Amino acid sequence: MSRRYDSRTTIFSPEGRLYQVEYALEAISHAGTAIGILAEDGVVLAAEKKVTSKLLEQDTSAEKMYLLNDNMVCAVAGMNADAGILINHARYTAQQYLKTYNEDIPCEQLIRRVCDVKQGYTQHGGLRPFGVSFIYAGYDDRYEFQLFTSNPSGNYSGWKATSIGANTSSAQTLLKNDYKSDMKISEASKLALKILSKTMDASLLNSEKVEFATLTKSKTTGKVIHKIWKPAEIDQLIKDSGVLEEAEKEAEKEQ
Amino acid sequence: MDIILGIRVQDCTIIATSKAFTRGISILNSTDDKTRQLGEHSLMAFTGESGDTVQFAEYIQANMQLHAMRESYELSPKATASFVRNQLASSLRSRKPYQVNVLIAGFDTKTEKPSLNWLDYLGTNVELPYCAHGYAAFYTSSLLDRHYRADMTQQEGLDLLQLCVKELQLRMPMDFKGVLVKVVSNEGVKIVDF
Amino acid sequence: MSDPNSINGGSAVAMVGKDCVAIACDLRLGNQSLGLANNFEKVFQLGHTFLGLTGLASDVTTLSETFRLKTNLYKMREERTIEPETFANLVSSTLYEKRFGPYFVGPIVAGINSQTKKPFICGFDLIGCIDFAKDFIVSGTASDQLYGMCEALYEPNLEPEDLFETISQALLNAVDRDALSGWGAVVYIVTKDQVVRKVLRTRQD
């Protein structure tokens, strides 16, 4: 039945569904998990990087964390090539806004502009939708630190803590249990790593499999600091967080 | 010969515009308002080619209202001035540029600070404590240089404005029918008896 | 009178020293003979590269915003800031895009290459022809006077402190002989690991 309605994105099925969009969502549910947590003094993004082969050249730059603007970082789940198009668009939109208004673009406005592009591909004919979801960490004067997600349908929503990609439902459950609204950035970082360690296929957490980004505000200058963490820093963070020992202990208990 | 004049004081910005609407050698109207309100806390005064002026001002006004509806908040005065500058700068290299000079008075509710921007039809944009367009600048600049202080109250600002208007009445070759004075402060835009 | 290059006034100069460069500008913005602002900077920092823009103030603002956009995108794409030589070519091509309706500006570029540590300066005409110079570059309404001052005062391989003195004296004495420049000045002294910005008090007439 569905065959008749899923070859083109623009057609609703008799049940009122857009199959291509649902397939895109399905594609994302196999991608590496990405988690975002809003803390009192910043935002944390953590993502699982799927290592496909040992022979693959490990690029020095992050492949799932992207800077969109001075006040925004995003994590990607889904097709990286598709993400590239949207990220370029977002970066250009943010810079164009800065050029006309001499102020940073408000987070939600930038996200809406990206989502307008995503939405376009669910309606205009012939092309497939973007196979990517994003988690955005942002800061602006009006709402301070913010966390958003967006998906291929072009919908976006704000969160205190959220996840996208594989095992998203179990990650969400863990977040719901452990999230506290008065968390500082260090606690949030630890929580993000802990949850990622539980949702990942591989048990051992290290910088080859994890990417990490934070958005904080400088206490001295009041400027927003965006940081996409280097592998060595991630390893140190994993070590300091004690997530590995906790995982070991729990494994022992189960035995 | 139109007069538009602005003074930024401690907690508000004062805008004065001449009430005479002239064409050639005639005064057609002596109750003209050469300003448009762009938002709750921003006001634009304009002079230049008749026809272009109101057209441009209302185009900007409509754009600011559209922005306020879409984003459910208003642009800061600084962002407003940047936007207007960009419009003027791109118009300058179009087939028929807007020949409009403007002053933008604003009160930034976030920083609690008043502001005054001077923009000409070329797309020059500067933030200034006091300024005027056209001949009025030649007659008032020295007075303002001498008497202006950044910590003036609204009343002191209006007194200084009185001094400027007196000088203009004395020196300008035509009767500009007095000035319409508006104040942009925390409370928004208000007309002041002058 | 209606020459776009001298409506607003303003001047800038750049010099090469020993392992350092300096770039400076005045602060005046006028409307013909009337002085409007004494805080209009014409030197912009884009990463570790510096851009001086003189000429029509509208185009100075437009281009500084354009190059901010382009260098910010470059920085995100390349994950490093733009080198002065690269930026010079970006300026050149950006100006030439408007070959038949140009921006009325006289840009100058200065900086130290972060890889080779070599100082670099250059200037442009309004449609982007690059003028590579080993010693100094001048631009703006006081450019004639600046040429004279620089020819007289410049010597090669100056240390940063001496370069600061030379560029400052060159600019200050040049703008004093120009009615459209002056009203304060800003000087940047750039060495490979430090940028020093100094605001100069000048005569206010």
Side-chain angles (χ1 to χ4, degrees):
Chain A
M1 184 60 200
S2 69
R3 287 264 169 263
R4 288 172 60 191
Y5 299 96
D6 63 3
S7 58
R8 279 200 283 168
T9 55
T10 46
I11 304 285
F12 276 112
S13 80
E15 307 90 74
R17 296 161 66 169
L18 290 169
Y19 280 110
Q20 284 296 325
V21 175
E22 290 183 22
Y23 296 158
L25 287 163
E26 180 62 24
I28 289 159
S29 72
H30 298 303
T33 322
I35 295 171
I37 301 173
L38 188 65
E40 252 188 347
D41 54 349
V43 196
V44 180
L45 296 181
E48 176 194 358
K49 181 160 59 177
K50 291 213 165 148
V51 185
T52 43
S53 162
K54 267 200 278 186
L55 299 175
L56 193 69
E57 193 84 71
Q58 287 290 352
D59 205 321
T60 45
S61 63
E63 55 182 88
K64 301 184 68 123
M65 300 288 180
Y66 291 91
L67 190 63
L68 297 182
N69 195 6
D70 275 343
N71 59 349
M72 268 184 111
V73 190
C74 78
V76 175
M79 302 170 72
N80 270 309
D82 284 18
I85 301 289
L86 291 169
I87 284 159
N88 273 340
H89 179 80
R91 285 174 172 178
Y92 189 76
T93 304
Q95 287 308 127
Q96 197 62 250
Y97 187 99
L98 182 65
K99 188 171 179 285
T100 37
Y101 298 105
N102 273 300
E103 276 177 4
D104 276 331
I105 189 167
C107 299
E108 195 178 332
Q109 210 171 320
L110 180 58
I111 291 161
R112 189 158 64 241
R113 294 286 288 273
V114 175
C115 286
D116 286 349
V117 179
K118 290 204 198 191
Q119 191 284 140
Y121 282 77
T122 69
Q123 189 168 183
H124 301 295
L127 302 168
R128 66 171 172 82
F130 282 94
V132 271
S133 286
F134 289 112
I135 300 186
Y136 309 86
Y139 179 92
D140 62 43
D141 290 338
R142 220 149 74 97
Y143 297 112
E144 310 218 307
F145 288 109
Q146 294 155 77
L147 184 69
F148 288 91
T149 58
S150 75
N151 67 26
S153 71
N155 282 325
Y156 69 90
S157 43
W159 299 84
K160 289 180 176 124
T162 190
S163 76
I164 51 174
N167 299 322
T168 181
S169 53
S170 57
Q172 302 261 32
T173 317
L174 290 165
L175 280 168
K176 228 180 268 172
N177 288 337
D178 292 346
Y179 179 81
K180 291 187 283 295
S181 59
D182 60 346
M183 271 193 296
K184 293 282 177 207
I185 194 90
S186 53
E187 295 168 71
S189 305
K190 197 179 155 184
L191 178 60
L193 284 177
K194 195 175 117 187
I195 291 172
L196 211 56
S197 73
K198 286 183 183 166
T199 56
M200 271 166 55
D201 314 330
S203 55
L204 205 64
L205 212 58
N206 63 46
S207 61
E208 266 179 27
K209 299 190 189 85
V210 176
E211 286 189 27
F212 206 79
T214 50
L215 201 72
T216 48
K217 208 174 162 188
S218 161
K219 283 199 183 75
T220 48
T221 62
K223 267 191 171 173
V224 179
I225 306 169
H226 45 76
K227 182 174 168 190
I228 295 173
W229 292 52
K230 302 252 160 17
E233 295 169 323
I234 296 173
D235 282 326
Q236 189 61 43
L237 183 76
I238 293 170
K239 216 174 124 192
D240 294 345
S241 70
V243 170
L244 291 180
E245 288 95 75
E246 270 178 43
E248 263 174 45
K249 264 183 222 159
E250 274 175 38
E252 274 172 34
K253 259 187 225 163
E254 276 169 31
Q255 279 175 358
Chain B
M1 285 289 196
D2 291 346
I3 293 163
I4 62 170
L5 188 65
I7 307 173
R8 160 165 64 76
V9 290
Q10 200 177 45
D11 47 12
C12 68
T13 302
I14 305 163
I15 289 280
T17 57
S18 57
K19 285 195 273 198
F21 181 82
T22 54
R23 171 178 289 176
I25 55 166
S26 312
I27 292 173
L28 302 182
N29 183 352
S30 53
T31 56
D32 191 29
D33 182 359
K34 295 178 183 61
T35 65
R36 285 294 180 275
Q37 197 170 339
L38 302 182
E40 211 163 317
H41 296 96
S42 70
L43 182 75
M44 182 164 82
F46 47 83
T47 67
E49 179 88 8
S50 61
D52 278 12
T53 49
V54 175
Q55 183 67 31
F56 179 73
E58 291 183 355
Y59 168 72
I60 296 296
Q61 189 183 34
N63 268 282
M64 301 322 282
Q65 285 170 353
L66 176 65
H67 182 279
M69 280 196 304
R70 275 186 176 159
E71 310 300 336
S72 58
Y73 83 98
E74 286 180 349
L75 284 174
S76 72
K78 193 185 99 175
T80 306
S82 285
F83 172 74
V84 176
R85 191 207 83 81
N86 262 285
Q87 292 294 322
L88 286 166
S90 46
S91 160
L92 184 68
R93 288 191 161 80
S94 67
R95 198 178 54 80
K96 188 170 181 296
Y98 283 114
Q99 288 186 41
V100 188
N101 301 319
V102 306
L103 298 181
I104 294 172
F107 189 89
D108 192 329
T109 46
K110 197 93 198 169
T111 59
E112 298 268 291
K113 286 214 169 68
S115 68
L116 176 63
N117 284 75
W118 184 99
L119 295 91
D120 69 5
Y121 75 101
L122 297 166
T124 316
N125 173 17
V126 267
E127 221 254 288
L128 293 167
Y130 48 84
C131 53
H133 274 295
Y135 295 111
F138 292 104
Y139 292 119
T140 56
S141 291
S142 48
L143 272 172
L144 290 160
D145 283 339
R146 177 68 185 81
H147 297 289
Y148 178 82
R149 280 176 294 110
D151 62 353
M152 286 170 126
T153 61
Q154 180 176 323
Q155 192 50 51
E156 286 174 309
L158 290 169
D159 293 346
L160 177 51
L161 180 63
Q162 189 66 259
L163 218 57
C164 293
V165 173
K166 283 255 173 65
E167 185 69 13
L168 290 166
Q169 269 161 345
L170 185 70
R171 301 287 177 185
M172 290 288 272
M174 65 169 250
D175 179 8
F176 54 85
K177 301 292 174 190
V179 286
L180 177 69
V181 180
K182 295 191 181 184
V183 168
V184 187
S185 68
N186 201 7
E187 288 128 56
V189 182
K190 280 187 184 150
I191 298 180
V192 175
D193 290 326
F194 195 76
Chain C
M1 189 205 86
S2 61
D3 172 16
N5 281 305
S6 51
I7 293 172
N8 306 117
S11 302
V13 55
M15 279 181 183
V16 174
K18 188 169 186 295
D19 303 321
C20 60
V21 290
I23 183 166
C25 66
D26 70 333
L27 290 175
R28 182 180 180 274
L29 177 124
N31 189 198
Q32 313 271 37
S33 61
L34 179 72
L36 276 175
N38 56 3
N39 59 358
F40 193 79
E41 286 189 38
K42 296 158 194 80
V43 172
F44 306 91
Q45 183 168 1
L46 304 158
H48 63 284
T49 301
F50 292 79
L51 168 68
L53 283 167
T54 62
L56 188 69
S58 174
D59 289 345
V60 169
T61 313
T62 304
L63 279 175
S64 69
E65 287 170 356
T66 302
F67 287 125
R68 180 179 58 185
L69 177 142
K70 291 191 175 193
T71 53
N72 280 349
L73 288 172
Y74 183 96
K75 191 169 82 185
M76 286 190 278
R77 210 168 48 236
E78 302 280 326
E79 297 180 349
R80 65 185 170 89
T81 51
I82 198 165
E83 298 295 345
E85 292 89 340
T86 319
F87 183 66
N89 286 286
L90 178 66
V91 172
S92 177
S93 51
T94 305
L95 291 177
Y96 197 78
E97 270 180 20
K98 297 274 188 289
R99 170 63 180 80
F100 299 109
Y103 293 112
F104 298 104
V105 286
I108 58 175
V109 164
I112 293 178
N113 188 297
S114 67
Q115 298 298 308
T116 63
K117 312 290 177 201
K118 280 219 176 69
F120 174 86
I121 59 163
C122 70
F124 308 81
D125 67 5
L126 79 167
I127 52 169
C129 175
I130 311 182
D131 170 7
F132 295 104
K134 285 195 270 307
D135 41 12
F136 53 80
I137 283 287
V138 302
S139 167
T141 51
S143 59
D144 291 356
Q145 292 90 323
L146 277 166
Y147 270 122
M149 286 311 301
C150 291
E151 295 287 8
L153 300 183
Y154 183 81
E155 44 191 291
N157 296 113
L158 288 169
E159 294 297 327
E161 304 77 42
D162 300 326
L163 188 69
F164 166 69
E165 203 55 35
T166 309
I167 197 169
S168 301
Q169 289 301 337
L171 182 68
L172 259 36
N173 290 287
V175 298
D176 279 356
R177 280 288 178 185
D178 179 21
L180 300 180
S181 299
W183 259 18
V186 175
V187 184
Y188 289 86
I189 308 292
V190 188
T191 46
K192 70 178 193 307
D193 41 28
Q194 179 170 240
V195 175
V196 182
R197 177 179 184 272
K198 285 178 176 155
V199 182
L200 304 182
R201 301 262 307 136
T202 69
R203 38 188 299 164
Q204 296 291 310
D205 60 356

